[in-house]
Amino acid sequence: TPLDKIRNFSIIAHIDHGKSTLADRLIQRTGGLTEREMSAQVLDNMDIEKERGITIKAQTVRLDWKGHVLNLMDTPGHVDFAYEVSRSLAACEGALLVVDAAQGVEAQTLANVYQSIEHDHEIVPVINKIDLPAAEPEKVRKEIEDVIGLDASNAILASAKSGIGIDEILDAIVERIPAPKGDASQPLKAMLVDSWYDPYLGVVILVRVMAGVLRKGAEIAFMAGGTKHLVDRVGCFRPKIEQLTELGPGEIGFITAQIKEVAQTAVGDTITDAKKPAAEALPGFKLVQPVVFCGLFPVDAADFDKLRESISRLRLNDASFTFEMESSAALGFGFRCGFLGLLHLEIIQERLTREYDLDLITTAPSVVYKIQLAHDRGEIELHNPADMPDPSKIASIEEPWIEAVIYCPDEYLGSILKLCQDRRGVQKNLTYVGGRAQVTYDLPLNEVVFDFYDRLKSISRGYASFDYHQIGYREGDLVKMSIMVNAEPVDALSMIVHRGTAESRGRGMCERLKDLIPRHLFKIPIQAAIGGKVIARETIAAMRKDVTAKCYGGDASRKKKLLEKQKEGKKRMREYGSVSIPQEAFIAALRMG
Ligand code: GDP
Ligand code: MG
């Protein structure tokens, strides 16, 4: 395709503003989909993506419109996948900015649009959902101008749901978004935008050709990965697969090259010609590193092999999560896993439970701490609170910090500021735009990974939105808090906390565990301790009678049922010495009050 006939664009939007619906509508209008195929959202593939309404893998689709080829690049919709987003944006020259006509501009709209501006995108504002009775398109138009600083006088009024404004959007893509640049005679340079495992094709790689031509049958080299491969398929998605013989400069498409694992394909890597390599790689390559770690253990120790197999299989398709074997005194054998963020953790945990039918115990999520050892013994990275060295061997501990942008209606500001303050936040900025506040805080990641987002949503009745990025490490007064149940330390519940908040956290943990652990035939003390010092304590009273005693020995079938129910409950418990702790307790105990 000649360069001047190509347009590459992405759609940026806050969650639920209609990105997927619009994408499907554009595909339908340009002939890629029938009405019937429209019924299921096409670009969101995985069940979990559909349920949570987020995109995890970047999808792309090629559309034909009035003699032009339009490549629509879908971007991941969550802060955990920020690097993937940045590469998808780098593959495009422009973006549709979709804003809900009833909701207006939200935090994620802002974060995404600024990224898009950084990539020099031409931005076409689309005010969506104008069919809603609550739609206020003129107010939103002004908001886009005031808050983002974009000219919205030519914003397109649309309804992705009822099909209003769709042709106008397609025309605007052709007219307003610039064509890509690139020289076909130069050595090949293609950006690896994304990759995933397909059971029939093997690893499929999504690419954007920047210079040169990527041909079927060519030998290619990954400049950062250092490996070489033969290209056996070249093609694009419409959204059905169409095979091609080559992709020229400016084009977006996929290749396969008999690669078995996505771990061999790093997002952002430069693909070049093995025989005639480019002199230098494309800018912006970065290896993504997990930031949140936790242990995953089977509830039933006999499931360990099944867990190992399932984790390995998931990893085939997701190189951004890591795992290594871990053993815990109380939980037996399991895996220490690393994730890009809490959502990523939840997705993997949910897939293991749902797709692989595993009952899992998830230990307290932890961030990566940097510990300077005493007597100049160097620095270590701590991924697991259980591995914390003795305090006498520690010179200092550093923890990761984030900068968070929260956007909320005025009336919730007070409680949001308090929440941030309680989580050791440092306020950086506070501005008002049209009855809404935008507040910027520096926060320790450790204070955010637990339930910050849930709390924020609940105190703002869902109106606050939140976006963050990491800003590096800072020293903190951090200590390891251990939890003891019936005098046995439960390592899965130990966590690293700030000394100033340790006591209230410890008290909260003990109180919640008291409710979560069922009564036993004996009294159970629950304690939180720092070093040898107990900082909080609760006691679970002993159960006086056998559970079946309530049945007065009369009704045999009822008695049997009760015993069965008890057995069922046992399966989902772990034994700590003589105490059974239900699976749910491990995560529930970490929720802060
Ligand atoms: P995404 O999270 O940005 O991908 O949003 P979706 O496309 O999944 O849309 C979120 C919700 O808004 C869904 O229930 C859609 O049916 C609905 N929606 C999308 N576009 C429109 C629209 O133009 N009008 C109305 N009334 N609802 C819409
Ligand atoms: Mg979506």
Side-chain angles (χ1 to χ4, degrees), residues 11-24 41 44 50 52-55 74 98 100 127-133 158-164:
I11 305 180
I12 52 185
H14 188 77
I15 286 175
D16 277 350
H17 283 199
K19 184 171 81 165
S20 304
T21 311
L22 178 61
D24 288 354
Q41 276 192 352
D44 295 346
K50 255 179 235 158
R52 298 187 171 231
I54 49 155
T55 311
D74 197 11
V98 176
D100 186 318
I127 299 172
N128 188 36
K129 306 200 191 181
I130 57 159
D131 60 297
L132 287 177
S159 166
K161 195 165 166 185
S162 7
I164 302 168

Side-chain angles (χ1 to χ4, degrees), residues 24-93:
D24 288 354
R25 188 60 75 183
L26 296 176
I27 296 167
Q28 186 201 23
R29 179 69 184 98
T30 55
L33 276 181
T34 62
E35 187 78 40
R36 195 172 57 82
E37 286 169 319
M38 268 284 293
S39 64
Q41 276 192 352
V42 177
L43 290 189
D44 295 346
N45 275 333
M46 257 194 284
D47 280 352
I48 294 170
E49 294 192 358
K50 255 179 235 158
E51 275 167 34
R52 298 187 171 231
I54 49 155
T55 311
I56 299 156
K57 292 265 117 188
Q59 307 280 318
T60 175
V61 56
R62 184 176 289 212
L63 315 169
D64 290 322
W65 183 248
K66 300 185 178 168
H68 288 75
V69 167
L70 316 184
N71 291 303
L72 158 58
M73 175 78 76
D74 197 11
T75 55
H78 193 273
V79 280
D80 283 5
F81 309 100
Y83 181 64
E84 279 85 344
V85 174
S86 86
R87 293 307 85 197
S88 303
L89 295 180
C92 300
E93 283 75 29

Side-chain angles (χ1 to χ4, degrees), residues 319-357:
S320 54
F321 102 90
T322 60
F323 67 97
E324 55 185 51
M325 215 176 96
E326 175 184 12
S327 71
S328 138
L331 296 172
F333 290 106
F335 295 94
R336 191 85 195 155
C337 303
F339 308 90
L340 296 178
L342 261 204
L343 178 84
H344 190 211
L345 184 165
E346 283 179 54
I347 288 169
I348 298 281
Q349 183 191 312
E350 221 169 289
R351 293 189 64 184
L352 287 168
T353 311
R354 200 186 303 187
E355 293 168 30
Y356 296 94
D357 195 26

Side-chain angles (χ1 to χ4, degrees), residues 233-493:
R233 277 189 207 89
V234 172
C236 64
F237 303 101
R238 284 184 173 281
K240 289 163 195 150
I241 282 184
E242 179 174 308
Q243 305 241 10
L244 303 167
T245 52
E246 61 177 47
L247 292 168
E251 290 197 284
I252 291 175
F254 75 87
I255 58 168
T256 63
Q258 304 208 345
I259 297 170
K260 300 274 184 299
E261 288 178 37
V262 287
Q264 287 181 276
T265 58
V267 169
D269 201 350
T270 303
I271 299 171
T272 191
D273 192 325
K275 303 220 170 60
K276 204 176 76 175
E280 54 185 41
L282 297 163
F285 175 69
K286 187 173 103 179
L287 263 184
V288 290
Q289 300 282 359
V291 295
V292 175
F293 288 78
C294 76
L296 293 180
F297 292 85
V299 168
D300 183 350
D303 276 342
F304 176 75
D305 284 332
K306 188 172 163 196
L307 176 61
R308 176 177 28 218
E309 247 167 62
S310 311
I311 284 188
S312 312
R313 216 161 325 141
L314 277 186
R315 160 91 185 162
L316 277 182
N317 212 355
D318 183 353
S320 54
F321 102 90
T322 60
F323 67 97
E324 55 185 51
M325 215 176 96
E326 175 184 12
S327 71
S328 138
L331 296 172
F333 290 106
F335 295 94
R336 191 85 195 155
C337 303
F339 308 90
L340 296 178
L342 261 204
L343 178 84
H344 190 211
L345 184 165
E346 283 179 54
I347 288 169
I348 298 281
Q349 183 191 312
E350 221 169 289
R351 293 189 64 184
L352 287 168
T353 311
R354 200 186 303 187
E355 293 168 30
Y356 296 94
D357 195 26
L358 283 159
D359 268 342
L360 296 175
I361 287 171
T362 311
T363 67
S366 165
V367 298
V368 179
Y369 296 93
K370 288 185 178 165
I371 298 185
Q372 300 294 337
L373 296 173
H375 316 298
D376 291 325
R377 301 235 167 145
E379 180 183 280
I380 57 166
E381 279 195 353
L382 184 71
H383 294 207
N384 188 347
D387 299 334
M388 175 111 150
D390 188 81
S392 66
K393 300 204 169 88
I394 297 174
S396 67
I397 307 181
E398 288 171 30
E399 60 181 329
W401 280 65
I402 60 162
E403 184 186 89
V405 179
I406 299 163
Y407 202 60
C408 67
D410 216 6
E411 67 242 59
Y412 305 112
L413 185 64
S415 17
I416 288 172
L417 295 183
K418 180 168 185 314
L419 174 67
C420 292
Q421 227 60 49
D422 287 348
R423 301 295 169 92
R424 297 194 279 135
V426 180
Q427 190 178 316
K428 302 305 286 284
N429 196 17
L430 174 61
T431 54
Y432 291 89
V433 186
R436 294 208 216 184
Q438 182 195 314
V439 54
T440 310
Y441 262 92
D442 284 358
L443 283 155
L445 181 60
N446 168 29
E447 302 283 344
V448 172
V449 293
F450 296 99
D451 64 343
F452 183 85
Y453 190 64
D454 294 344
R455 298 275 306 153
L456 185 70
K457 284 283 172 191
S458 90
I459 60 180
S460 68
R461 308 216 172 144
Y463 281 108
S465 39
F466 166 74
D467 203 43
Y468 75 86
H469 62 271
Q470 287 204 63
I471 51 171
Y473 277 77
R474 295 183 191 171
E475 195 176 328
D477 188 6
L478 300 159
V479 289
K480 177 174 157 182
M481 181 169 79
S482 314
I483 300 293
M484 280 166 308
V485 175
N486 205 23
E488 298 257 357
V490 180
D491 51 1
L493 289 174

